[in-house]
mmCIF file of all heavy atoms in Angstrom:
data_model
loop_
_atom_site.group_PDB
_atom_site.id
_atom_site.type_symbol
_atom_site.label_atom_id
_atom_site.label_comp_id
_atom_site.label_asym_id
_atom_site.label_seq_id
_atom_site.Cartn_x
_atom_site.Cartn_y
_atom_site.Cartn_z
ATOM 1 N N GLY A 62 -3.477 -3.239 -0.080
ATOM 2 C CA GLY A 62 -3.019 -3.174 -1.461
ATOM 3 C C GLY A 62 -1.512 -3.190 -1.604
ATOM 4 O O GLY A 62 -0.967 -3.766 -2.551
ATOM 5 N N GLU A 68 3.483 -9.092 -2.551
ATOM 6 C CA GLU A 68 3.361 -10.544 -2.710
ATOM 7 C C GLU A 68 3.265 -10.937 -4.181
ATOM 8 O O GLU A 68 3.896 -11.907 -4.618
ATOM 9 C CB GLU A 68 2.142 -11.048 -1.930
ATOM 10 C CG GLU A 68 1.969 -12.551 -1.934
ATOM 11 C CD GLU A 68 3.108 -13.327 -1.270
ATOM 12 O OE1 GLU A 68 3.959 -12.712 -0.599
ATOM 13 O OE2 GLU A 68 3.139 -14.554 -1.445
ATOM 14 N N LEU A 69 2.498 -10.186 -4.969
ATOM 15 C CA LEU A 69 2.389 -10.509 -6.392
ATOM 16 C C LEU A 69 3.705 -10.269 -7.122
ATOM 17 O O LEU A 69 4.047 -11.008 -8.050
ATOM 18 C CB LEU A 69 1.257 -9.719 -7.050
ATOM 19 C CG LEU A 69 -0.151 -10.133 -6.642
ATOM 20 C CD1 LEU A 69 -1.198 -9.320 -7.388
ATOM 21 C CD2 LEU A 69 -0.389 -11.620 -6.871
ATOM 22 N N HIS A 89 1.950 6.641 1.124
ATOM 23 C CA HIS A 89 1.402 5.413 0.537
ATOM 24 C C HIS A 89 1.960 5.195 -0.864
ATOM 25 O O HIS A 89 2.250 4.064 -1.256
ATOM 26 C CB HIS A 89 -0.121 5.476 0.462
ATOM 27 C CG HIS A 89 -0.785 5.428 1.800
ATOM 28 N ND1 HIS A 89 -1.964 6.071 2.066
ATOM 29 C CD2 HIS A 89 -0.428 4.824 2.956
ATOM 30 C CE1 HIS A 89 -2.309 5.858 3.328
ATOM 31 N NE2 HIS A 89 -1.395 5.106 3.881
ATOM 32 N N ARG A 91 4.873 6.128 -2.040
ATOM 33 C CA ARG A 91 6.253 5.648 -1.909
ATOM 34 C C ARG A 91 6.273 4.160 -1.538
ATOM 35 O O ARG A 91 7.024 3.376 -2.122
ATOM 36 C CB ARG A 91 6.985 6.479 -0.851
ATOM 37 C CG ARG A 91 8.444 6.120 -0.714
ATOM 38 C CD ARG A 91 9.085 6.949 0.374
ATOM 39 N NE ARG A 91 9.129 8.354 0.015
ATOM 40 C CZ ARG A 91 9.394 9.321 0.886
ATOM 41 N NH1 ARG A 91 9.615 9.042 2.155
ATOM 42 N NH2 ARG A 91 9.431 10.585 0.494
ATOM 43 N N GLN A 92 5.428 3.770 -0.577
ATOM 44 C CA GLN A 92 5.381 2.373 -0.146
ATOM 45 C C GLN A 92 4.912 1.459 -1.273
ATOM 46 O O GLN A 92 5.446 0.365 -1.461
ATOM 47 C CB GLN A 92 4.454 2.222 1.064
ATOM 48 C CG GLN A 92 4.997 2.867 2.319
ATOM 49 C CD GLN A 92 3.950 2.925 3.417
ATOM 50 O OE1 GLN A 92 2.754 2.857 3.157
ATOM 51 N NE2 GLN A 92 4.403 3.047 4.653
ATOM 52 N N LYS A 104 -9.203 6.909 -6.621
ATOM 53 C CA LYS A 104 -10.497 6.383 -7.072
ATOM 54 C C LYS A 104 -11.347 7.462 -7.726
ATOM 55 O O LYS A 104 -12.257 7.149 -8.483
ATOM 56 C CB LYS A 104 -11.261 5.772 -5.893
ATOM 57 C CG LYS A 104 -10.740 4.430 -5.455
ATOM 58 C CD LYS A 104 -11.617 3.837 -4.368
ATOM 59 C CE LYS A 104 -11.157 2.459 -3.983
ATOM 60 N NZ LYS A 104 -11.960 1.884 -2.893
ATOM 61 N N ALA A 112 -8.603 2.514 -17.465
ATOM 62 C CA ALA A 112 -8.331 1.667 -18.635
ATOM 63 C C ALA A 112 -7.006 2.064 -19.275
ATOM 64 O O ALA A 112 -6.203 1.203 -19.665
ATOM 65 C CB ALA A 112 -9.469 1.766 -19.646
ATOM 66 N N GLY A 199 5.100 7.470 5.076
ATOM 67 C CA GLY A 199 5.862 6.412 4.435
ATOM 68 C C GLY A 199 7.153 6.056 5.128
ATOM 69 O O GLY A 199 8.042 5.455 4.525
#
Side-chain angles (χ1 to χ4, degrees):
E68 184 63 12
L69 290 182
H89 291 148
R91 184 182 294 166
Q92 291 169 339
K104 285 185 176 178

